[in-house]
Amino acid sequence: MKNNNDQVYRIQGLSCANCAKKFENNVKKIEGVTEARVNFGASKISVSGVASISDIEKAGAFDKLKVSSEQEELPEEPSVPFYQKHANVLLSFLFLVSGWVAFFQQGEDHLSTTILFAASIVIGGYRLFFTGLNNLIRLQFDMKTLMTIAIIGAAIIGEWGEGATVVILFAISEALESYSMEKARASIRSLMNVSPKQATILIEGTEKQISVKDVKIGDRMLVKPGQKIAMDGKIVKGGASISEAAITGESIPVSKSVNDEVFAGTFNEDGLLEVEVTKRVEDTTIAKIIHLVEEAQAERAPSQAFVDKFAKYYTPLIIMIAFLVAIVPPLFLAADWNTWIYQGLAVLVVGCPCALVISTPIAIVTAIGNAAKNGVLIKGGVFLEEVGRIKAIAFDKTGTLTRGAPEVTDVQAFHITEEELLRIIATLESGSTHPLASAILQKANQMGVAQTDYAMEHFESVAGKGIKASIEGITYQAGSPNWFLSEEHSEMNRLTESIHKLQNAGKTVIIVGSSDKIFGVLGIRDEIRESSVSSVKELKELGISDLYMLTGDNDRTAEAIGHEVEIDRVKSSLLPEDKLRYIKQLREEHGSMMMIGDGINDAPALAASSVGVAMGGAGTDTALETADVALMGDDLRKLPFTIRLSRKTLTIIKQNISFSLGLKVLALLLVIPGWLTLWIAIFADMGATLLVTLNSLRLLKVKDKG
């Protein structure tokens, strides 16, 4: 985890997982550094302690790495044509081809053949040898060390042609790994490039273009039609259709007007807006999303932890096997030394763990990046994998299956007029933070009723029941029918039929009364989201049939909503502690379960589930902070997509590990009859890397059906 005292730097030129590990170890050795951690997926390093950028760059000199502070960001590398970027490899390839032509025309022992192959090895592999020999001196055995030993050994026993071919194929293998990571990182770069680097600020009525880094909270920003919004803010003048696809993944524009929030990176389609800036550039929603995705890519998934641990023992084991293959047959079976040294060198090549090392991180990085582009934030590989294992899902009702914007649909008054009833309950609810309070206040405003006409004293909120307060000497209470029934209120019996009728229609019932009278009944309906029914249906098609709805609402309302969205297992009248207890029970029962809530009221339940998913509308900080996964578009259709992506990722990780180990085992078995050659070894190694790379990139093709 990142420490508050850590310095984070961006890295340019980080191409392979082994290079990342070596760089990390080198930085740890810098005087003044206590800890260092490379985030290979995001190309960043976190350093605890004191170190200058030049010191850190020296630690990465072996791979010509460039470093800058996280805020500055490195400039994009200039586009270099392939033939220039890999000129040494192309030149090496030409010498290799010439060498094989000479081999077939003049024989392998001819001086010109040897010179051509040697030139190919030196030109194509000098960087490899430099790193490999340094590692050998320090007794660090990574894949470059193994390859260096194998190629030099091949030259010593006269296998110049195969040694040169191994150099070229290894270079191709490294290029593949670099390409695959660049593709995986492209989704993050696309997020970084979403927001403009400059904003148009109004200063005393004059428009001025300034860098977003210089924009302050409270500044007035002008956004013209067809422009991207540069900063998070609140509209103070104008209105427009805003495309929020960059944040939510939803392509349909959202209509925005005065007092609505807008976000950096979103697109103003058709209106002239004046926006008051509410967040600094480093605190914008898009900046938080980028940060969370980069942090997520650094988190090691269980599969990756297994691979890292396995690789720790795997490399020394391969070296030991290669050593035994080289010396045991000649020493004990009088076999030919040259033949078995050659076999031992081939074992070193085939044993290179490059495919195994990248098998998991490339899949995790690709999947998390794809999810972010589609408006789903997954906070790490551990949660990405866990989503794919989910057996049961529990939904909160309000704000998750429903819109979370209830409306008063029915008003029944007794003993007083409707206006008086609304004035009383509006006065009571003016002190409440309950979601239903806004619906009641909105209804009162529509009726032209001002709650300020009455003075309120001794306000009290009773958890799970309602509210009470004294208004002009009378103590009123407003809340659930169960509250009044538990107090055995004398007038409740005559309201039973009316209450049941409202509840059967899926409406929440609020009773308003005093100690001896019931003054009214309100029916409030929270409309179901359009995406709820289709999402539940798709989840069932994915094989997740254990679906639950948890709500504090009454039984009849909960059952009506559950019936509409086709969730049979409904738990109602739950207090927050009941919901938490039930989540723990479900987790014990199913092993792995998911909870979906609004990220605010459901924080304890989200934390207790295997995976907590927040309906995190754009800009909802609480959703980003409390949940393991956030659906940025408040769209439940993103949930089946996330589960499909996770399952696909788990499958691909298993395939990658099987490919990388299986091909090597098959190649190593050829040692027994003495058939293993450097050709077969390098093709097994490169073939595994190629398969793992292309297989992982298939995750980019998993699309959101919504």
Side-chain angles (χ1 to χ4, degrees):
M1 293 296 292
K2 185 183 169 185
N3 198 308
N4 287 335
N5 297 321
D6 287 357
Q7 296 297 314
V8 180
Y9 303 92
R10 296 192 180 276
I11 312 163
Q12 195 172 73
L14 196 61
S15 57
C16 70
N18 277 286
C19 304
K21 191 64 183 174
K22 183 177 180 181
F23 178 49
E24 180 178 282
N25 290 333
N26 287 353
V27 173
K28 286 178 182 177
K29 293 173 185 174
I30 296 173
E31 189 175 348
V33 172
T34 54
E35 186 57 63
R37 188 181 183 198
V38 170
N39 179 343
F40 180 45
S43 267
K44 291 164 74 173
I45 184 168
S46 177
V47 180
S48 300
V50 181
S52 67
I53 287 179
S54 61
D55 287 338
I56 297 171
E57 285 192 340
K58 283 178 187 175
F62 68 93
D63 214 20
K64 295 184 177 178
L65 302 181
K66 296 294 180 186
V67 177
S68 73
S69 70
E70 185 180 29
Q71 286 74 27
E72 286 178 25
E73 297 183 20
L74 284 159
E76 279 195 36
E77 288 185 273
S79 180
V80 180
F82 181 85
Y83 70 89
Q84 288 182 15
K85 193 172 184 179
H86 300 286
N88 65 315
V89 178
L90 292 172
L91 186 58
S92 175
F93 181 73
L94 288 175
F95 275 108
L96 175 68
V97 172
S98 302
W100 282 112
V101 170
F103 175 88
F104 289 114
Q105 287 181 350
Q106 299 170 347
E108 66 176 309
D109 297 327
H110 197 277
L111 181 61
S112 62
T113 305
T114 304
I115 289 172
L116 288 169
F117 282 141
S120 177
I121 289 172
V122 172
I123 293 169
Y126 71 91
R127 288 180 185 167
L128 166 67
F129 301 143
F130 179 76
T131 306
L133 290 171
N134 274 332
N135 288 350
L136 199 55
I137 292 166
R138 295 181 176 87
L139 297 178
Q140 295 175 350
F141 294 98
D142 65 7
M143 63 180 179
K144 289 187 177 179
T145 314
L146 302 188
M147 294 299 287
T148 300
I149 295 170
I151 293 163
I152 292 174
I156 290 171
I157 62 173
E159 298 292 344
W160 290 95
E162 292 194 28
T165 306
V166 165
V167 168
I168 290 295
L169 293 177
F170 181 72
I172 293 170
S173 177
E174 280 206 312
L176 279 172
E177 184 178 345
S178 177
Y179 168 78
S180 63
M181 286 309 300
E182 279 303 305
K183 285 287 286 181
R185 290 174 186 146
S187 57
I188 299 302
R189 277 206 305 275
S190 67
L191 283 175
M192 288 178 174
N193 295 331
V194 156
S195 298
K197 303 301 180 190
Q198 290 196 312
T200 303
I201 299 298
L202 291 172
I203 301 173
E204 296 180 355
T206 305
E207 297 177 22
K208 187 176 180 182
Q209 286 270 338
I210 64 172
S211 169
V212 289
K213 294 178 182 177
D214 299 325
V215 178
K216 300 186 292 291
I217 293 173
D219 282 352
R220 292 291 177 97
M221 179 173 64
L222 190 69
V223 187
K224 297 176 182 178
Q227 288 185 338
K228 281 186 177 180
I229 296 169
M231 305 287 287
D232 282 14
K234 183 174 68 175
I235 297 174
V236 292
K237 188 176 179 182
S241 292
I242 307 290
S243 171
E244 297 185 336
I247 290 176
T248 66
E250 177 55 64
S251 58
I252 299 172
V254 181
S255 180
K256 300 269 186 173
S257 57
V258 174
N259 290 327
D260 285 338
E261 284 187 296
V262 292
F263 309 103
T266 57
F267 184 75
N268 176 10
E269 298 209 335
D270 55 15
L272 181 64
L273 300 176
E274 196 173 310
V275 177
E276 182 181 326
V277 175
T278 56
K279 291 180 181 177
R280 295 177 301 173
V281 65
E282 62 267 27
D283 297 325
T284 60
T285 298
I286 194 73
K288 285 186 176 181
I289 291 171
I290 292 166
H291 178 72
L292 285 169
V293 173
E294 289 182 335
E295 289 295 305
Q297 291 178 332
E299 294 295 325
R300 277 168 167 69
S303 300
Q304 189 172 345
F306 160 74
V307 168
D308 289 347
K309 191 173 181 181
F310 183 82
K312 184 180 176 183
Y313 301 102
Y314 172 83
T315 304
L317 179 65
I318 286 294
I319 293 171
M320 180 61 69
I321 291 172
F323 179 72
L324 293 175
V325 166
I327 67 165
V328 169
L331 283 178
F332 298 101
L333 302 173
D336 179 60
W337 277 98
N338 265 15
T339 300
W340 286 97
I341 288 174
Y342 176 85
Q343 290 279 302
L345 295 174
V347 169
L348 283 181
V349 175
V350 82
C352 280
C354 40
L356 180 65
V357 168
I358 67 166
S359 61
T360 303
I362 190 174
I364 296 291
V365 168
T366 304
I368 288 175
N370 185 19
K373 282 174 66 178
N374 283 282
V376 180
L377 289 185
I378 303 173
K379 288 193 178 178
V382 62
F383 305 118
L384 177 67
E385 289 194 12
E386 193 64 43
V387 167
R389 300 189 182 100
I390 290 299
K391 302 289 193 302
I393 299 176
F395 296 88
D396 174 47
K397 178 180 76 70
T398 306
T400 302
L401 291 170
T402 62
R403 295 181 187 277
E407 295 180 6
V408 176
T409 56
D410 300 83
V411 179
Q412 300 173 16
F414 313 109
H415 309 297
I416 56 176
T417 65
E418 282 190 12
E419 286 76 12
E420 283 183 278
L421 172 65
L422 282 169
R423 186 174 286 112
I424 290 169
I425 190 167
T427 303
L428 291 170
E429 294 291 358
S430 65
S432 172
T433 57
H434 194 278
L436 299 181
S438 59
I440 293 168
L441 293 173
Q442 186 178 2
K443 182 69 174 178
N445 287 331
Q446 288 172 357
M447 297 281 289
V449 176
Q451 72 269 19
T452 51
D453 287 3
Y454 288 146
M456 179 172 61
E457 296 178 321
H458 311 303
F459 178 84
E460 182 185 352
S461 178
V462 184
K465 295 180 179 179
I467 53 176
K468 61 164 53 176
S470 177
I471 299 175
E472 297 191 348
I474 301 174
T475 299
Y476 293 94
Q477 61 188 72
S480 68
N482 288 340
W483 189 15
F484 286 83
L485 287 169
S486 66
E487 294 183 347
E488 299 181 354
H489 200 287
S490 58
E491 291 197 346
M492 282 298 290
N493 290 336
R494 66 182 177 83
L495 298 176
T496 302
E497 186 178 342
S498 179
I499 291 170
H500 286 177
K501 186 177 179 181
L502 291 171
Q503 289 177 338
N504 288 337
K507 297 175 183 179
T508 299
V509 177
I510 300 291
I511 306 293
V512 184
S514 62
S515 58
D516 58 343
K517 288 181 181 177
I518 298 293
F519 294 109
V521 177
L522 271 66
I524 302 176
R525 167 83 176 191
D526 186 7
E527 293 301 319
I528 293 170
R529 290 182 186 273
E530 292 176 9
S531 59
S532 295
V533 176
S534 60
S535 299
V536 167
K537 183 180 179 182
E538 195 173 344
L539 288 171
K540 289 179 178 179
E541 288 172 357
L542 287 170
I544 303 175
S545 54
D546 293 318
L547 302 175
Y548 301 81
M549 187 178 83
L550 310 181
T551 179
D553 221 331
N554 65 81
D555 296 353
R556 284 185 173 81
T557 301
E559 290 291 343
I561 299 292
H563 179 72
E564 282 190 55
V565 297
E566 298 182 12
I567 293 178
D568 301 324
R569 304 177 188 191
V570 176
K571 299 295 176 183
S572 52
S573 303
L574 298 178
L575 297 173
E577 57 266 31
D578 298 328
K579 198 177 286 188
L580 176 61
R581 185 168 58 251
Y582 198 72
I583 287 292
K584 289 178 178 177
Q585 181 185 323
L586 287 176
R587 189 169 179 177
E588 284 181 17
E589 185 180 330
H590 295 285
S592 182
M593 64 86 53
M594 176 188 285
M595 168 70 188
I596 306 169
D598 60 13
I600 302 171
N601 302 323
D602 298 307
L606 290 172
S609 58
S610 307
V611 179
V613 179
M615 299 291 285
T620 308
D621 291 344
T622 310
L624 298 180
E625 290 162 9
T626 58
D628 307 317
V629 177
L631 309 181
M632 294 306 295
D634 273 352
D635 187 352
L636 275 177
R637 286 171 294 192
K638 306 280 184 191
L639 188 60
F641 158 73
T642 307
I643 290 171
R644 286 189 287 108
L645 179 65
S646 174
R647 289 180 177 178
K648 187 80 170 177
T649 305
L650 285 172
T651 300
I652 280 177
I653 287 172
K654 289 172 185 174
Q655 289 172 348
N656 284 353
I657 293 172
S658 300
F659 289 156
S660 55
L661 291 178
L663 279 173
K664 292 181 187 302
V665 169
L666 286 173
L668 288 172
L669 289 175
L670 296 177
V671 170
I672 298 170
W675 295 344
L676 183 62
T677 67
L678 283 174
W679 288 92
I680 295 173
I682 192 62
F683 275 115
D685 180 60
M686 192 182 75
T689 303
L690 179 61
L691 279 172
V692 163
T693 299
L694 297 179
N695 197 38
S696 297
L697 292 179
R698 287 196 300 135
L699 287 167
L700 292 172
K701 294 183 178 179
V702 179
K703 300 297 180 186
D704 178 11
K705 292 180 181 178

